[in-house]
Every structure is written in structure tokens, then in C-alpha cells.
Amino acid sequence: MSLPQLPPGGAPSAPVPFAFTAEADPFRSNVAPPPRERPSAGQVAGRALFGLTLIAGLAGSLILGMPALSQDAPPAQTQHSVASDGR
């Protein structure tokens, strides 16, 4: 069984379904989008403050959480209930 060969021109002679998608490239728009609006000084300062707040929160939670993550030596005495001493 052999594969079908293309004609010498390279393109099949039968019409291709959805040929409009293949022909859409030459008709791209040449209209440029409007330039992006520059953020104001207040917006830049707000974004910087928000970023600093996030970083400070993460650093603070890490600093406050470090004692809970440390592996201390077990206590020398075991705690027992005072109520069970009289029995």
C-alpha cells in the first residue's frame, strides 16, 4: 500500500475544508492597539506597599513559627497530676 503523492505544485487539487483559516494570515489587521496607560505614582506606591506587607507577613510568620519548629530536648521531669498524689 503506497501513500498518496501530491501533485507537482505541492498543494492538493481538491478544496481543503475550512480553507478560510489557512487564508486568514494575509488579512491580519495593521491597526496597532492603543498604548498602555502608565500607572500613577499612587498606584506604584500602593503596589510596593502591598508587596512589602506580604513579605513582612511571611517573614513574621516564619520568625514567630520557628520556636514551634525547633526540636528542644525533652523536659527533665515528667508532669503528673496533683489529684493522683493522695491515692
Side-chain angles (χ1 to χ4, degrees):
M1 192 166 168
S2 65
L3 295 174
Q5 298 292 323
L6 291 176
S13 58
V16 178
F18 303 108
F20 59 88
T21 58
E23 296 173 359
D25 286 337
F27 300 106
R28 291 188 185 270
S29 175
N30 62 355
V31 178
R36 293 182 59 178
E37 186 177 317
R38 295 181 58 106
S40 67
Q43 287 176 334
V44 171
R47 291 175 186 170
L49 239 115
F50 182 73
L52 286 174
T53 304
L54 282 178
I55 292 171
L58 290 173
S61 65
L62 185 65
I63 290 170
L64 292 176
M66 286 302 286
L69 296 175
S70 66
Q71 295 180 354
D72 293 334
Q77 295 179 348
T78 57
Q79 295 180 354
H80 62 280
S81 174
V82 179
S84 64
D85 285 345
R87 295 187 179 195

